[in-house]
Amino acid sequence: MDKNFYDKKTEIFKALANPMRLQIIDLLLNGEKCVCEIVKELNYEQSHISKGLVKLKSVHLIKDRKDGLNVYYSLNCDCMKDFFNCLNGII
Amino acid sequence: MDKNFYDKKTEIFKALANPMRLQIIDLLLNGEKCVCEIVKELNYEQSHISKGLVKLKSVHLIKDRKDGLNVYYSLNCDCMKDFFNCLNGII
DNA sequence: AATATATATGCCAATTATGGCATATGGCTA
DNA sequence: TAGCCATATGCCATAATTGGCATATATATT
């Protein structure tokens, strides 16, 4: 079944609508990080972090790059920082 | 219970993570609209549209203004357009 | 080959979202 | 006051999300 425009956009916002995943995005705003670094910085289970990364990647908000045992994740678009700053004004 | 920063931010994204509510935002990008206009333009039940507006307003993404029988809604921040355009690139 | 380390996946119970239908509220007009 | 109209709320069954625990995969090292 083919998803339409608003359904796809909804998936992106669903991916962002979670405290842990927002923290991941905030970390990646400072540049590429491997999973182990993210796990060290955030207080969540490794398996949970991994699922969060899968979800963010599934909507193309982030991309990954493998290097030996490690997988490095980074942001896939540069508009996040501005929008997040704007939302901070609302909060 | 006091919600922390990421929980509040999550609420904003949850409010956006719905096709109907995203369509409402798109309509409001063109300026203030009353509920009846939104109901006319989108193919959803009036009660459902109303609930969507309540949800968007609860996280301060939109604001309202009453005029007689009508309630006019408009965006509460100007960063939506840029971010939405950016997401269109991802989709 | 065996082991260790980094990352990903499967399962599942508890919580939360969705959207329809009925109904309530509250301002207008006659 | 009565009735209409625009908007909001309550209830509810179905569906989706959440996050923990166990486990799988895949690469590196010895």
Side-chain angles (χ1 to χ4, degrees):
Chain A
M1 58 190 87
D2 211 33
K3 294 219 161 198
N4 75 17
F5 174 75
Y6 284 105
D7 287 334
K8 284 182 191 160
K9 213 159 172 178
T10 297
E11 290 308 310
I12 296 180
F13 282 107
K14 274 186 196 294
L16 289 167
N18 173 275
M20 185 199 68
R21 296 195 293 268
L22 285 177
Q23 284 177 268
I24 290 175
I25 297 283
D26 264 0
L27 285 179
L28 297 183
L29 281 174
N30 297 319
E32 181 180 76
K33 279 198 163 40
C34 73
V35 182
C36 61
E37 291 174 296
I38 298 171
V39 170
K40 248 175 266 161
E41 299 218 41
L42 304 184
N43 212 15
Y44 291 98
E45 274 218 348
Q46 177 273 324
S47 69
H48 191 201
I49 298 267
S50 183
K51 278 184 222 177
L53 290 165
V54 166
K55 186 147 200 165
L56 290 170
K57 192 190 159 195
S58 74
V59 297
H60 309 106
L61 281 169
I62 62 178
K63 58 178 184 284
D64 64 347
R65 170 178 79 76
K66 296 181 201 218
D67 181 15
L69 274 181
N70 298 306
V71 180
Y72 289 87
Y73 283 92
S74 57
L75 292 183
N76 216 3
C77 69
D78 53 355
C79 48
M80 219 77 79
K81 191 167 270 175
D82 286 341
F83 189 60
F84 276 32
N85 283 337
C86 175
L87 291 188
N88 294 347
I90 295 182
I91 295 173
Chain B
M1 59 191 88
D2 211 32
K3 293 219 161 197
N4 74 17
F5 174 75
Y6 285 105
D7 286 334
K8 284 182 192 158
K9 213 159 171 178
T10 297
E11 290 309 310
I12 297 179
F13 282 107
K14 274 187 197 292
L16 289 167
N18 173 276
M20 184 199 69
R21 296 196 293 268
L22 285 178
Q23 284 178 267
I24 290 174
I25 296 284
D26 265 1
L27 286 179
L28 296 184
L29 281 174
N30 296 318
E32 181 181 76
K33 280 199 162 39
C34 73
V35 182
C36 61
E37 291 174 295
I38 298 171
V39 170
K40 249 176 265 161
E41 299 218 40
L42 305 184
N43 212 16
Y44 291 97
E45 272 218 348
Q46 179 274 324
S47 69
H48 190 203
I49 297 266
S50 182
K51 277 184 222 179
L53 289 164
V54 166
K55 186 149 202 165
L56 290 169
K57 190 189 160 197
S58 74
V59 297
H60 309 107
L61 282 169
I62 62 177
K63 58 179 185 283
D64 64 347
R65 173 179 78 78
K66 296 180 201 219
D67 183 15
L69 275 182
N70 298 307
V71 180
Y72 289 87
Y73 283 91
S74 57
L75 292 183
N76 215 3
C77 69
D78 52 355
C79 48
M80 218 76 80
K81 192 167 268 173
D82 286 342
F83 189 60
F84 276 33
N85 283 337
C86 176
L87 291 188
N88 294 347
I90 295 182
I91 294 173

